[in-house]
Amino acid sequence: MPNSLRRVGLYRLKGFLLPYKTPTGYAPGTSFADVERLMVLDEGLRLHVLKAMQTVEVGIRQAIVQYMLERYGLRWYADPGHFHEPNDFFDHAEFLQRVTEEFTQMPELFVGHYRERYDLDAPPPIWMIAETMSLGGWSKLFTALRSQEDKDGIAAPTGIRASTFASWLHALTVVRNVCAHQSRLYDRVFATMGVADNKRVRRRLLEHSFDPRDTNALRLAPRLYALHRLTQALDPGCPWTDELKGVVAGYSLEEVSRLGFRVGWERQSEWT
């Protein structure tokens, strides 16, 4: 039995066999070495995505917190007036209860200090609550903001339109969770997302960077582009994109196309 099969199990390994599957079985000549090659790529992509998330999660959290704090004070998140009416996506009362409970249950020294020194009837300051919230929480919070002016103001420093910013936060939350749970990232199909907020950039990406078969941006490549844009906006000069090109280098056109890329994507100006 190959080491890869012992290590990951048959069910997970079969996911990496899908590119070689035909209506009558598997393509002639397919070997465990081919599968292991894709598993190495998958692992490299997951680790590299999580590396970007360190910058993106902290940077987005700070962008939202700082903008709203300066405009509305240290407990703005507790005011339902800043948010849309409750719906299936976001209910402010449930959100407030959840984040307050999560805060009080955190085994952190600053939480114990706060409980000892301050009025517990008042919600904690936003910079404390921020430590308990995930990227998914920030994605929902941003989308639920009532004021378009606030959304535009938060997204402005990144150079990304607010509607695209919201779409990317949601899409990247899914990608982050896939990586955090060590699930297969390679050859995965996601829900549709915004490609870019600039029509010219969007057209160039679709013509020169993304696989022409992926018309609805369901593959990983558009999400990697979102990480490229956000890491550059939040940490100018960050080498993440150049390192991404190194992760993918050496793989064939067919292998890379299952990420949603087309040949030559790494040389396009949108990725520099």
Side-chain angles (χ1 to χ4, degrees):
M1 180 183 294
N3 290 334
S4 56
L5 184 55
R6 291 183 181 275
R7 188 173 68 253
V8 306
L10 178 61
Y11 185 77
R12 183 179 180 89
L13 185 137
K14 286 175 69 176
F16 293 96
L17 276 168
L18 291 176
Y20 306 104
K21 192 170 181 59
T22 70
T24 58
Y26 292 101
T30 302
S31 68
F32 278 105
D34 296 323
V35 177
E36 289 170 345
R37 175 182 170 83
L38 296 184
M39 290 170 63
V40 169
L41 175 58
D42 181 68
E43 181 179 5
L45 287 168
R46 278 188 282 110
L47 292 174
H48 201 55
V49 166
L50 288 174
K51 183 177 182 180
M53 288 298 176
Q54 297 178 40
T55 298
V56 170
E57 288 199 52
V58 174
I60 286 173
R61 177 175 70 192
Q62 178 60 18
I64 297 174
V65 167
Q66 192 64 36
Y67 179 89
M68 297 295 286
L69 175 65
E70 291 177 356
R71 295 201 74 180
Y72 304 112
L74 52 84
R75 292 181 173 86
W76 60 266
Y77 71 95
D79 182 357
H82 293 307
F83 303 94
H84 290 298
E85 294 298 320
N87 54 43
D88 292 340
F89 182 76
F90 184 87
D91 184 308
H92 179 263
E94 292 179 359
F95 157 78
L96 185 60
Q97 179 181 359
R98 184 181 71 256
V99 296
T100 303
E101 289 177 352
E102 289 174 350
F103 172 79
T104 58
Q105 294 170 5
M106 284 186 70
E108 299 282 356
L109 289 176
F110 73 87
V111 176
H113 175 75
Y114 181 81
R115 288 200 298 260
E116 292 172 2
R117 297 285 299 274
Y118 297 97
D119 179 14
L120 296 183
D121 291 333
I126 182 57
W127 56 78
M128 290 186 171
I129 288 294
E131 295 297 322
T132 73
M133 288 179 58
S134 66
L135 181 62
W138 290 112
S139 172
K140 289 183 177 181
L141 190 75
F142 178 82
T143 302
L145 288 173
R146 184 187 298 273
S147 168
Q148 186 61 46
E149 181 182 354
D150 289 339
K151 291 180 179 180
D152 291 340
I154 291 167
T158 67
I160 300 165
R161 191 170 299 168
S163 58
T164 303
F165 189 79
S167 174
W168 285 3
L169 291 190
H170 178 70
L172 292 178
T173 296
V174 176
V175 173
R176 179 203 176 281
N177 291 340
V178 168
C179 294
H181 290 93
Q182 307 302 315
S183 298
R184 178 172 53 85
L185 197 59
Y186 180 77
D187 200 24
R188 196 180 192 97
V189 176
F190 301 88
T192 189
M193 65 172 283
V195 174
D197 54 351
N198 181 295
K199 290 183 179 180
R200 179 187 62 81
V201 173
R202 183 181 187 278
R203 184 176 65 253
R204 285 184 57 83
L205 286 168
L206 294 175
E207 290 176 352
H208 303 293
S209 289
F210 298 154
D211 190 311
R213 294 168 292 185
D214 187 23
T215 56
N216 293 317
L218 303 180
R219 293 291 182 171
L220 182 63
R223 288 144 184 85
L224 295 175
Y225 176 72
L227 286 174
H228 157 67
R229 285 283 304 277
L230 286 167
T231 52
Q232 290 300 308
L234 297 169
D235 184 15
C238 172
W240 185 85
T241 303
D242 288 337
E243 293 169 354
L244 168 66
K245 296 172 183 178
V247 171
V248 178
Y251 287 86
S252 69
L253 171 60
E254 178 59 30
E255 290 167 330
V256 172
S257 70
R258 288 183 173 271
L259 298 173
F261 284 121
R262 71 166 72 198
V263 65
W265 69 271
E266 72 280 6
R267 296 189 296 272
Q268 299 307 311
S269 60
E270 287 74 28
W271 295 88
T272 60

